[in-house]
Amino acid sequence: MMTMLGGEPFLLVSKQEQQNYPLYIRSVPSDSELKFHYTVHTSLDVVEEKVSAVGKVIVDQRELYLGLLYPTEDYKVYGYVTNSKVKFVIVVDSSNTSLRDNEIRSMFRKLHNSFTDVMCNPFYNPGDPIQSKVFDSMVSSMMVQTC
Amino acid sequence: MSVPDYMQCAEDHQTVLVVVQPVGMVPEDHFFRIYKRIISVNQVSIRDSQRLLYIRYRHHYPPENNDWGDFQTHRKVVGLIAVTTCSSAKEWPQTFDRFHGQREVFGATLYDSRLLVFGLQGEIAEQSRTDVAFYPSFDRCEDVEKRVEDFVESIFIVLESKRLDRATDKSGDKIPLLCVPFEKKDFVGLDTDSRHYKKRCQGRMRKHVGDLCLQAGMLQDALVHYHMAVELLRSVNDFLWLGAALEGLCSASVIYHYPGGTAGKSSGRKPSISQAADAGKRHRPGAQEVLIDPGALTTNGISADTSSEIGRTKNCLSPEDIIEKYKEAISYYGKYKNAGVIELEACVKAVRVLAIQKRAMEASEFLQNAVYINLGQLSEEEKIQRYSILSELYELIGFHRKSAFFKRVAAMQCVAPTISEPGWRACYKLLLETLPGYSLSLDPKDFCKGTHRGWAAVQMRLLHELVYASRRMGNPGLSVRHLSFLLQTMLDFLSDQEKKEVTQSLENYTSKCPGGMEIITLPDGLKLPPVPFTKLPIVKSVKLLNLPVSLRPHKVKGLLGQNVTTKSPFIYSPIIMHSRGEERCKKIDFQWVQGDVCEVQLMVYNPMPFELRVENMGLLTSGVEFESLPAALSLPAESGLYPVTLVGVPRTAGSITVNGYHTSVFGVTSDCLLDNLPGLKTSGCAVEVVPALPRLQLSTSLPRSAHSLMPPSGEELSNSVSVQLFNGETQQLFITLENIGTELLETLEVTYKMVNTKEKIFGEFLSWDLQGPLSQLPLKPSQTVTIAVDIRVKLDFSGQENLLQDLNDDGISITGLPISSPLRQVLKPRAENKPISAEANKTEYNHIKTLEAILHFKYSGGLGQMQGYYRELLLGVHVDVEPSVFFTRVSALPATSTRQCHLLLDVFNSTEHELTVSARNNQDVVLHASECQRMAIQVDKLDVDSLPEPDEETLRFASPRQLEEERQQVQGYQVNSKLGITWSIISFHLQNRTSVSFFVTL
């Protein structure tokens, strides 16, 4: 089970007002989607904090993977941020022990590749909600694998 | 201890706790007035010692928390100030007893207490007592602060003596074991002589002394004692107290590092001259007594030597260590279920420190831990408090979303189903505070730029909750406002079902409280701006319409003409003067007229999945006084673009700007300004209104024309008539003009213009006499004037191709009249009249000629005339001319008189009617349909002098045809008047058709 999100890309430069809004959200099962909205929304605080911390410390060789953002009772929230400040968030069930850091990392990488393809589409307007079918099916296949 | 104090911060460890309570009957407002004055004395500088004592006041303190006073001395109530009223001496003993009773509650821990008595006068009040202060009334108690200061000093004396007492106690053989309430039973029957036990006693006492030192303003002593306590307690695994010692260490270090305090607000500390200098001073006293190097201090307390600084800081934790130690302490507290409150408070304190250090990630970890601390059964109120404080702390570390999340949880807790009296008001207030966290503002203007980007699902939920809470608060106006906002801003995210639901509930609410455009101000000052429904319906374009052609005002051209710009002194310049300003303000090149109905066309779109009823839709304008005539419309579901015309009447002249429109949808009235509409197409919204002009309505005696004329220069006809005439016929057309406006008609001008001038017309096509009608001017409203217009058709039907084809070669033999000789245009009859074949019918139809003309009626009056405006009515006149009588052969014979001659005419009747032809001095000739007869007319010979040049000349100068035509025309008239040939159709006599002469000459 997971939810993911693309955040505001770097187009809005103003750092104080980096309002992140979802580009894409998907969850399985979809009945408790609102809950995930809340989870992902609040996790952005941590993402922002981590991103700003990364900016301060490491200059070269940026690690895109942010790791576990925070654990809740039922879910683990992982984060990833691209160089253009688009954020990916994956929420997985805490009980799912088969997903270790490495698996999550590779999921993010896949997601990032697919997102890059979306951005390469000349008809896609950066900042618009993602409606690509290819992206959709990729996410679906990833979700099926993990569930 | 079960009630956590979420407001605690690290520096509270150095305060002494004083409880201020009312005793007996004290009006609340009076009490709090006094309370406020008392708490203003929150730090007292102790005489002779340069130390500062900090006081924390509480007006309510649970006694069970007091039991933890040994554990952390700042939790111990050491002072009590009772406030009471007493009106007579008789009541005094009773009052004093009550004070005693109150003292008993905290009795064990109190160092000192005071009673402030208000209202008592007389003998008792005269006596001077240290523990009681008398004031005649709440208004006359000038020295309350002074008394409190004295009181604090007396507390300090006790505190100091205790500290010295305990500090020296270690030499004594028996150190009592300090313990927290829940430990007491654990130590029953323990061997009090073991080393382990002794160490434990020592450690705890050390820690206690550390607390006292900290309170007494001796930071360095405190640090030393804490360090020792940590060593001792760690060795005996006394985790709870080890935690407390570590926390004490942290607190002391925090106080050292952050003299500004960590509570966020500088409530505790008086703003001192300089924080740094203050910090130096505050720590010096401790150093003076304990520090290894007192010689380093100068007399005024300011150290000149940095070595003392080093010495002072050596026991102090570094900022990083503080957090480490807090973590450790909290992990020790966590081992004890009963120390939940302590753990929670430690977390809160650590978060505040981290917030100061701007280490949000670590702070969030502490908070995350705090969330999971179980405090047993919490009351609903405590839960709300807990969530609110979590929210506040998250806000403190910059986690706005998380903060909003917890605030929302707190809000929901206010109205949990388990609460008997749900606090909707509190819930609403808390929900409002969450708005920034979800990046929502309640101003619809923030949403009008492009597509909305945000957490729609979450935001919608919040808005729904706001609506519900405000409804339960009993404020339908607020519900309407929030619901309108939801509908307006989240429209794109609502499903069809939700749209229906939202609008339904909106209609329910508005039935009780219609929504308007006023700003709603909440009691706490928040303003809710109005929410105009610019999306219900969506307006795509706005276009101001010109008046109908007949009502358009025209400007009388001045001498210079309108196009000459007065800006340039040159008549012609290749440099085009760009008038950007005009473009920008989008001035429209037509005008509206005062008092006339003007129209604006909107293209609207209904985004709803059901029929949208828009009521009271009208224009919002500025500039001239404008009377808007609202319309109601009903748009089908998901309609495409739909034109709507809004009308109104300008009441004064000047410039008018259409700013927007107002609607009433679902019971909410909105004023939508065009400036705020995204993606709106408009061709300009400002238009000139000219002063009122009269308005004429035109009616004619002839039937309206079926086919409309195409006027040449894009003008439009207000009316047109058509009539069918035989060639040579004259018809009178009565035109009635009625003044249907409100202004006087003062001037009227009539002209006409032929439309297709291919045909050659003889004589005036239209003629009239204006003398009569003009004498009736000025024409008052609703009066009429009639103009008679004669329509004369005199056409040349000769030379038509089909006619020529039909020509018999019986030829032209014109004799006698020299004028006729050169002419080839003498009319020929057709060989067969009325062939029944279809082809022939067609040919016959083609013989009909058409004459078209436009009558212009220029009229003006009223104020508009003074400004040089007039109006124009155009009447199209369409005449189908049928051929009537042809003269197929013309010849002349000399008559008996030499001055006269006989003119022989072969007359052919091409109509289907029987007609008579008559000429002057002649009898009528009756011609049946398609009959040809010869008639002879005796006429005077033409005067040769009046005739133009001879034939050869004419032929020679044939090239200037115009000249010739002119000449011929003159001749024609002359001949015509001489002959005076008329014809009339007998069967039409009753219809009063007058037939007039027709002669084809030349």
Side-chain angles (χ1 to χ4, degrees):
Chain A
M1 185 178 316
M2 56 183 152
T3 314
M4 49 208 66
L5 147 108
E8 162 93 354
F10 66 103
L11 291 173
L12 262 186
V13 201
S14 159
K15 274 204 173 153
Q16 267 107 28
E17 254 193 19
Q18 248 188 15
Q19 40 162 274
N20 293 276
Y21 58 87
L23 296 179
Y24 184 86
I25 288 193
R26 185 79 179 281
S27 70
V28 181
S30 53
D31 51 338
S32 54
E33 207 176 300
L34 187 65
K35 191 165 118 194
F36 288 112
H37 277 254
Y38 277 114
T39 311
V40 179
H41 182 248
T42 49
S43 73
L44 286 177
D45 280 329
V46 184
V47 173
E48 266 181 17
E49 188 59 39
K50 287 207 170 187
V51 168
S52 63
V54 163
K56 269 180 248 164
V57 184
I58 310 161
V59 191
D60 49 30
Q61 181 79 95
R62 274 221 13 221
E63 168 67 294
L64 304 176
Y65 179 56
L66 297 174
L68 183 65
L69 297 179
Y70 68 91
T72 67
E73 277 171 74
D74 309 320
Y75 305 106
K76 283 187 203 154
V77 187
Y78 295 92
Y80 185 92
V81 61
T82 70
N83 287 315
S84 55
K85 297 275 188 293
V86 175
K87 289 118 191 163
F88 299 123
V89 174
I90 296 183
V91 182
V92 296
D93 214 314
S94 290
S95 59
N96 193 341
T97 47
S98 68
L99 289 169
R100 282 176 316 245
D101 220 39
N102 260 342
E103 278 78 29
I104 300 285
R105 209 182 269 264
S106 73
M107 275 164 72
F108 273 129
R109 210 161 294 136
K110 254 162 108 183
L111 210 55
H112 193 172
N113 283 340
S114 204
F115 176 72
T116 312
D117 291 345
V118 171
M119 292 295 283
C120 289
N121 177 359
F123 298 104
Y124 175 74
N125 232 338
D128 283 356
I130 296 171
Q131 283 157 335
S132 157
K133 280 182 191 144
V134 179
F135 190 76
D136 230 31
S137 65
M138 194 279 307
V139 172
S140 303
S141 71
M142 224 161 67
M143 285 174 146
V144 167
Q145 272 172 28
T146 51
C147 282
Chain B
M1 188 160 75
S2 64
V3 186
D5 176 3
Y6 293 103
M7 299 317 288
Q8 265 199 26
C9 43
E11 59 268 26
D12 282 345
H13 282 253
Q14 67 172 341
T15 61
V16 291
L17 183 61
V18 172
V19 171
V20 184
Q21 278 183 328
V23 173
M25 298 292 289
V26 180
E28 204 170 87
D29 55 328
H30 285 305
F31 170 71
F32 279 103
R33 225 168 71 204
I34 297 298
Y35 180 69
K36 259 189 204 139
R37 290 182 59 179
I38 293 171
I39 60 170
S40 67
V41 190
N42 56 8
Q43 65 188 65
V44 175
S45 163
I46 305 303
R47 260 174 289 176
D48 313 325
S49 66
Q50 287 183 325
R51 282 192 252 168
L52 274 173
L53 194 62
Y54 295 92
I55 308 102
R56 196 156 54 107
Y57 295 95
R58 289 283 180 275
H59 56 86
H60 172 79
Y61 196 71
E64 68 264 29
N65 280 13
N66 201 17
D67 296 340
W68 286 74
D70 283 338
F71 182 66
Q72 286 175 325
T73 54
H74 70 282
R75 297 179 189 279
K76 190 187 280 187
V77 180
V78 296
L80 172 71
I81 299 176
V83 177
T84 190
T85 53
C86 185
S87 51
S88 67
K90 233 194 270 172
E91 286 174 33
W92 170 241
Q94 199 191 343
T95 309
F96 197 71
D97 282 349
R98 277 211 209 103
F99 171 54
H100 262 289
Q102 198 71 36
R103 231 167 22 183
E104 291 304 306
V105 177
F106 304 104
T109 59
L110 285 185
Y111 293 170
D112 201 355
S113 58
R114 284 285 184 278
L115 178 63
L116 304 179
V117 186
F118 291 90
L120 193 66
Q121 273 166 321
E123 201 183 322
I124 299 163
E126 299 293 304
Q127 54 182 293
S128 112
R129 296 174 57 158
T130 47
D131 59 339
V132 183
F134 295 98
Y135 298 103
S137 73
F138 282 103
D139 299 321
R140 293 168 58 195
C141 48
E142 292 77 20
D143 67 339
V144 165
E145 286 87 353
K146 184 82 197 51
R147 289 301 284 245
V148 174
E149 268 177 45
D150 290 346
F151 171 64
V152 170
E153 271 183 42
S154 92
I155 286 178
F156 174 76
I157 290 162
V158 180
L159 179 69
E160 186 67 1
S161 71
K162 286 220 176 208
R163 182 183 71 79
L164 292 171
D165 190 31
R166 301 280 195 198
T168 52
D169 226 12
K170 60 192 173 205
S171 58
D173 43 7
K174 197 78 173 170
I175 302 169
L177 178 71
L178 298 167
C179 53
V180 296
F182 72 87
E183 278 180 330
K184 281 191 174 120
K185 58 181 186 295
D186 299 347
F187 294 119
V188 176
L190 222 68
D191 179 13
T192 54
D193 289 332
S194 67
R195 260 190 81 214
H196 193 264
Y197 184 80
K198 271 188 187 151
K199 259 198 164 169
R200 185 189 290 249
C201 292
Q202 271 179 6
R204 291 187 178 191
M205 185 53 74
R206 255 310 147 198
K207 192 254 158 208
H208 183 69
V209 174
D211 281 355
L212 290 174
C213 289
L214 192 59
Q215 281 186 309
M218 298 167 66
L219 190 75
Q220 290 306 319
D221 279 23
L223 283 169
V224 171
H225 286 295
Y226 283 139
H227 272 296
M228 286 165 74
V230 168
E231 299 280 299
L232 284 165
L233 292 167
R234 208 190 284 279
S235 67
V236 294
N237 289 338
D238 189 359
F239 291 121
L240 184 62
W241 285 74
L242 175 56
L246 287 169
E247 199 193 336
L249 200 53
C250 293
S251 303
S253 307
V254 169
I255 290 162
Y256 178 78
H257 284 294
Y258 309 107
T262 58
K265 44 193 188 251
S266 59
S267 62
R269 273 113 231 279
K270 274 182 191 160
S272 36
I273 317 104
S274 148
Q275 290 283 17
D278 182 46
K281 254 186 223 151
R282 269 203 288 127
H283 303 130
R284 199 129 303 126
Q288 212 168 21
E289 283 171 49
V290 182
L291 257 201
I292 320 102
D293 189 17
L297 295 168
T298 54
T299 41
N300 63 0
I302 293 166
S303 142
D305 187 352
T306 48
S307 67
S308 71
E309 291 289 330
I310 297 158
R312 208 172 299 133
T313 51
K314 85 174 174 195
N315 291 321
C316 194
L317 298 174
S318 71
E320 285 74 31
D321 280 347
I322 292 174
I323 302 308
E324 282 309 307
K325 293 290 183 261
Y326 261 125
K327 260 186 204 158
E328 197 183 341
I330 288 163
S331 73
Y332 293 145
Y333 291 148
K335 292 180 196 289
Y336 300 88
K337 224 181 106 202
N338 292 317
V341 173
I342 305 288
E343 186 188 354
L344 187 59
E345 287 183 4
C347 281
V348 171
K349 288 174 216 171
V351 168
R352 291 192 202 278
V353 174
L354 282 165
I356 294 270
Q357 297 182 347
K358 301 210 186 314
R359 289 157 73 181
M361 276 312 294
E362 281 163 290
S364 80
E365 277 162 31
F366 275 97
L367 276 175
Q368 189 80 31
N369 181 44
V371 173
Y372 293 122
I373 296 171
N374 186 10
L375 291 183
Q377 204 62 40
L378 284 176
S379 74
E380 300 296 337
E381 199 181 322
E382 282 165 339
K383 279 187 197 163
I384 297 166
Q385 200 190 6
R386 185 169 178 181
Y387 292 131
S388 309
I389 207 75
L390 279 171
S391 156
E392 256 171 56
L393 291 170
Y394 271 117
E395 185 73 47
L396 197 64
I397 60 170
F399 281 24
H400 305 292
R401 299 179 186 88
K402 201 86 179 169
S403 164
F405 179 83
F406 277 106
K407 195 147 264 176
R408 190 183 147 268
V409 173
M412 292 297 107
Q413 200 66 49
C414 290
V415 292
T418 49
I419 295 181
S420 53
E421 267 183 51
W424 288 106
R425 214 163 275 278
C427 168
Y428 180 77
K429 194 170 169 291
L430 286 170
L431 282 177
L432 276 185
E433 287 169 18
T434 66
L435 286 171
Y438 292 110
S439 24
L440 253 184
S441 79
L442 290 178
D443 192 347
K445 285 198 187 84
D446 299 347
F447 289 83
C448 60
K449 301 169 205 88
T451 48
H452 175 57
R453 289 171 166 180
W455 289 84
V458 177
Q459 290 172 336
M460 253 155 58
R461 182 60 177 265
L462 177 61
L463 286 171
H464 271 299
E465 282 160 357
L466 275 174
V467 170
Y468 190 70
S470 55
R471 186 172 75 87
R472 294 298 299 262
M473 267 163 64
N475 193 336
L478 274 183
S479 318
V480 169
R481 180 56 50 89
H482 289 308
L483 209 49
S484 313
F485 184 82
L486 172 68
L487 199 56
Q488 165 73 15
T489 57
M490 299 290 162
L491 194 65
D492 300 344
F493 304 99
L494 291 168
S495 68
D496 285 0
Q497 185 57 34
E498 283 170 322
K499 281 179 189 169
K500 263 179 213 158
E501 283 164 13
V502 169
T503 49
Q504 232 157 40
S505 46
L506 182 58
E507 275 174 327
N508 279 342
Y509 293 147
T510 51
S511 63
K512 286 171 227 143
C513 174
M517 284 301 290
E518 71 284 355
I519 293 172
I520 297 180
T521 308
L522 295 178
D524 57 352
L526 187 74
K527 285 185 166 56
L528 298 184
V531 183
F533 278 146
T534 53
K535 285 185 179 168
L536 296 172
I538 298 170
V539 173
K540 284 288 183 198
S541 77
V542 174
K543 192 176 157 199
L544 274 62
L545 298 184
N546 201 346
L547 291 171
V549 183
S550 61
L551 294 179
R552 280 177 203 167
H554 302 271
K555 181 93 177 162
V556 177
K557 297 266 192 297
L559 280 173
L560 280 168
Q562 292 291 299
N563 298 331
V564 176
T565 46
T566 46
K567 284 173 200 159
S568 166
F570 303 107
I571 294 167
Y572 171 76
S573 162
I575 303 160
I576 300 156
M577 304 287 266
H578 281 293
S579 45
R580 285 236 176 79
E582 273 176 41
E583 279 164 38
R584 199 176 47 230
C585 75
K586 295 176 183 169
K587 203 83 170 163
I588 294 172
D589 61 351
F590 57 78
Q591 290 108 7
W592 282 353
V593 178
Q594 173 191 348
D596 279 348
V597 174
C598 302
E599 295 176 322
V600 174
Q601 192 181 55
L602 309 179
M603 296 305 282
V604 300
Y605 170 81
N606 172 16
M608 300 304 252
F610 47 83
E611 189 179 301
L612 183 68
R613 282 203 54 77
V614 185
E615 273 149 32
N616 198 26
M617 191 165 188
L619 291 170
L620 293 175
T621 59
S622 65
V624 311
E625 201 180 307
F626 188 78
E627 183 190 347
S628 175
L629 308 172
L633 50 133
S634 173
L635 298 169
E638 308 267 6
S639 71
L641 278 183
Y642 206 86
V644 172
T645 307
L646 298 179
V647 296
V649 181
R651 288 292 171 210
T652 52
S655 180
I656 188 169
T657 309
V658 174
N659 297 323
Y661 58 94
H662 61 83
T663 58
S664 174
V665 185
F666 309 128
V668 180
T669 56
S670 336
D671 292 347
C672 309
L673 296 182
L674 300 184
D675 293 347
N676 298 341
L677 297 182
L680 178 82
K681 268 191 253 163
T682 169
S683 53
C685 298
V687 71
E688 201 67 38
V689 178
V690 306
L693 285 167
R695 211 158 69 202
L696 286 186
Q697 194 179 44
L698 184 145
S699 53
T700 62
S701 57
L702 287 174
R704 277 172 165 272
S705 170
H707 40 145
S708 53
L709 287 174
M710 266 298 153
S713 58
E715 295 165 305
E716 257 179 76
L717 298 177
S718 49
N719 207 344
S720 74
V721 294
S722 71
V723 63
Q724 197 167 23
L725 295 176
F726 287 105
N727 197 9
E729 197 178 340
T730 297
Q731 172 99 338
Q732 206 162 39
L733 168 65
F734 292 99
I735 296 166
T736 311
L737 298 171
E738 184 182 0
N739 186 356
I740 53 169
T742 51
E743 298 292 316
L744 283 180
L745 173 70
E746 286 167 51
T747 61
L748 178 65
E749 246 180 80
V750 187
T751 53
Y752 86 93
K753 197 166 73 191
M754 295 303 296
V755 176
N756 41 12
T757 44
K758 271 187 294 181
E759 299 295 336
K760 191 174 170 192
I761 310 179
F762 302 93
E764 281 289 313
F765 177 48
L766 300 171
S767 59
W768 56 84
D769 179 23
L770 265 184
Q771 285 300 332
L774 286 179
S775 66
Q776 292 178 37
L777 297 184
L779 196 67
K780 291 201 183 81
S782 78
Q783 282 184 337
T784 59
V785 64
T786 306
I787 301 167
V789 175
D790 288 331
I791 306 174
R792 277 195 198 88
V793 282
K794 285 184 188 173
L795 280 184
D796 181 359
F797 270 85
S798 65
Q800 280 188 357
E801 274 180 37
N802 37 14
L803 272 176
L804 284 172
Q805 279 167 11
D806 294 343
L807 273 181
N808 283 335
D809 215 11
D810 47 0
I812 323 136
S813 61
I814 303 170
T815 50
L817 275 175
I819 46 156
S820 304
S821 55
L823 299 179
R824 321 281 326 162
Q825 308 115 305
V826 176
L827 289 182
K828 307 293 170 194
R830 285 160 296 169
E832 313 99 282
N833 39 12
K834 306 297 153 208
I836 310 149
S837 70
E839 194 198 353
N841 269 337
K842 202 178 100 202
T843 23
E844 194 219 19
Y845 178 74
N846 284 343
H847 294 160
I848 295 175
K849 293 192 175 185
T850 303
L851 281 179
E852 283 174 344
I854 295 169
L855 270 168
H856 292 253
F857 297 86
K858 282 186 188 177
Y859 63 96
S860 187
L863 275 173
Q865 189 190 19
M866 307 215 303
Q867 302 230 336
Y869 287 97
Y870 65 91
R871 270 182 172 153
E872 209 168 25
L873 271 181
L874 301 183
L875 174 67
V877 181
H878 175 100
V879 182
D880 288 326
V881 188
E882 279 186 65
S884 52
V885 179
F886 289 106
F887 300 91
T888 54
R889 194 183 292 244
V890 183
S891 56
L893 285 176
T896 44
S897 157
T898 51
R899 292 182 51 217
Q900 285 188 318
C901 67
H902 288 287
L903 195 61
L904 297 180
L905 298 166
D906 285 358
V907 190
F908 172 70
N909 174 10
S910 69
T911 68
E912 294 162 28
H913 309 279
E914 193 176 282
L915 55 77
T916 59
V917 181
S918 61
R920 192 174 294 173
N921 323 322
N922 240 20
Q923 77 208 58
D924 296 354
V925 176
V926 178
L927 279 171
H928 296 287
S930 312
E931 197 184 8
C932 190
Q933 269 190 29
R934 174 165 297 187
M935 62 185 292
I937 309 165
Q938 192 175 22
V939 286
D940 293 344
K941 277 187 177 169
L942 274 175
D943 191 356
V944 184
D945 294 348
S946 71
L947 294 178
E949 284 89 274
D951 315 330
E952 293 104 61
E953 294 274 330
T954 318
L955 283 167
R956 203 181 293 166
F957 294 107
S959 42
R961 268 183 70 175
Q962 280 179 329
L963 181 79
E964 191 171 340
E965 273 177 23
E966 217 170 277
R967 198 197 57 193
Q968 286 170 356
Q969 224 164 334
V970 175
Q971 290 171 348
Y973 285 135
Q974 230 164 347
V975 174
N976 265 345
S977 59
K978 260 210 161 81
L979 294 178
I981 300 172
T982 63
W983 57 264
S984 62
I985 294 171
I986 301 158
S987 55
F988 289 171
H989 263 293
L990 284 174
Q991 293 169 16
N992 207 12
R993 257 194 200 200
T994 322
S995 307
V996 192
S997 74
F998 177 69
F999 187 89
V1000 179
T1001 88
L1002 323 168

